[in-house]
Amino acid sequence: AKGNGKGGWQRYQSDLHTAMMQRLEMRTALYEAIEQEQFVLQFQPIVELIDQKITGVEALVRWQHPVRGLLGPYHFVEAAEESGAIVGIGNWVLREALRQFAQWKTEHLDTTLRYVSVNVSVRQFRAAGFADQVRDALAASGARPEWLLLEITESLVLKDADRVLAELKALREIGVRIAIDDFGTGYSSLSYLRQMPVDVLKLDKSFIDDILHSRQQHALVDAIVTLSHNLDLAVVAEGIEEAGQRAALDAMGCRYGQGYHFAKPLWPGDVPAMAEQYEPYP
Ligand code: C2E
Ligand code: CA
Ligand code: CA
Ligand code: CA
């Protein structure tokens, strides 16, 4: 608020006005950004904990803003979700991730890369014809369905379960796999999730942070890993930053991990070299 003479109410109104204008501007900017192809992808490796061999990559969106420079999702994903722009952004991410991945598979036949993981927002998933979008994106890129892992959140599967279940089944029929992202931050239970066609559980970083310093946290993660395996869910531990965490998770039988300890999100040009430091599967 500006102007010293203004009373509280006027200041409040003017703040509201500013906030509204900012939201409007943001919304316009996001739609322009889609049109002008200002979004770019980085890819973060997902590795086998036992030998750190790369098995997949997660596509992470960034906004190459003409004035503000490279912006991470923190700066715009929430606004994109609110305004609905996330649907267009998400579908672009899906197509671009598959195009890039199919290119890697053709140019590097011996790569250990098996899949690309793509984040799907609630709004994007709930938009009409999401499974069709996936089918189209696969066809356009020539990527095989098993190369795609879709990351959805717990909050999605908890609401309107019947519709979500039908869409998940349609996706499974296409042949793509589903991961629950940030597992543990929501309110779903493993037994509930097991009724859904889900293949992978990504254990949120907040669970991993303390496993070396808290016996309780260690026991909790250990139990989740064991139970997940009994339910035929693969587990990816997120946010591994230290060698000790890798070792502890490996000892629990957790097979996959992701985090700065292995690699930060990479520009596409750096992915193939990273994935070729290892012998391909026999
Ligand atoms: P997420 O899906 O949980 O992705 C992992 C985030 O954690 C990424 O942040 C990644 O850079 C960061 N990260 C990975 N390893 C470590 C680590 O060891 N330590 C720490 N401190 N951080 C680590 P990023 O790229 O900033 O993405 C943030 C969030 O934005 C993502 O969280 C995801 O929810 C969302 N997001 C990113 N790309 C997309 C997208 O294409 N569509 C949608 N709907 N959301 C996206
Ligand atoms: Ca994710
Ligand atoms: Ca996550
Ligand atoms: Ca997270």
Side-chain angles (χ1 to χ4, degrees), residues 95 98-100 102-103 136-144 147:
R95 285 169 176 275
L98 285 174
R99 184 203 65 73
Q100 179 63 79
Q103 188 187 324
D136 291 351
L138 286 166
S141 62
R144 293 196 214 147
W147 294 349

Side-chain angles (χ1 to χ4, degrees), residues 181-182 185 204-206 238:
D181 200 3
D182 303 337
T185 57
D204 192 68
K205 175 176 185 300
S206 57
E238 297 190 301

Side-chain angles (χ1 to χ4, degrees), residues 44 58-62 73 77 86 93 119-121 124 151 181-182 205 238-241 258-261 265:
Q44 187 178 31
E58 177 175 2
L60 295 162
V61 72
R62 280 88 179 85
V77 160
I86 196 71
V93 169
N119 292 286
V120 180
S121 82
Q124 184 189 0
E151 300 193 3
D181 200 3
D182 303 337
K205 175 176 185 300
E238 297 190 301
I240 300 177
E241 294 183 343
Q258 180 177 0
Y260 294 169
H261 173 63

Side-chain angles (χ1 to χ4, degrees), residues 49-50 203-204 207-230 233-238 240 243-256:
L49 292 181
I50 195 161
L203 198 47
D204 192 68
F207 277 76
I208 308 305
D209 282 343
D210 281 340
I211 53 168
L212 295 182
H213 310 108
S214 154
R215 261 184 42 225
Q216 281 95 335
Q217 206 59 12
H218 186 285
L220 187 58
V221 170
D222 198 355
I224 292 174
V225 169
T226 304
L227 193 53
S228 300
H229 288 167
N230 288 337
L233 290 164
V235 181
V236 178
E238 297 190 301
I240 300 177
Q245 292 171 329
R246 186 211 67 80
L249 287 158
D250 183 32
M252 290 177 201
C254 179
R255 186 153 171 207
Y256 305 101

Side-chain angles (χ1 to χ4, degrees), residues 108-180:
H108 307 271
L109 292 173
D110 59 346
T111 181
T112 60
L113 281 176
R114 288 190 280 131
Y115 66 92
V116 61
S117 211
V118 173
N119 292 286
V120 180
S121 82
V122 174
R123 197 130 169 198
Q124 184 189 0
F125 188 92
R126 289 178 178 278
F130 176 66
D132 294 330
Q133 287 283 347
V134 171
R135 215 178 276 112
D136 291 351
L138 286 166
S141 62
R144 293 196 214 147
E146 62 266 30
W147 294 349
L148 179 61
L149 180 67
L150 295 171
E151 300 193 3
I152 62 174
T153 54
E154 285 170 85
S155 58
L156 176 77
V157 287
L158 287 175
K159 270 180 267 158
D160 201 2
D162 287 349
R163 229 192 98 198
V164 171
L165 184 59
E167 198 74 6
L168 289 175
K169 283 182 174 158
L171 290 165
R172 176 159 277 188
E173 241 152 65
I174 294 172
V176 305
R177 293 184 307 146
I178 307 290
I180 300 293

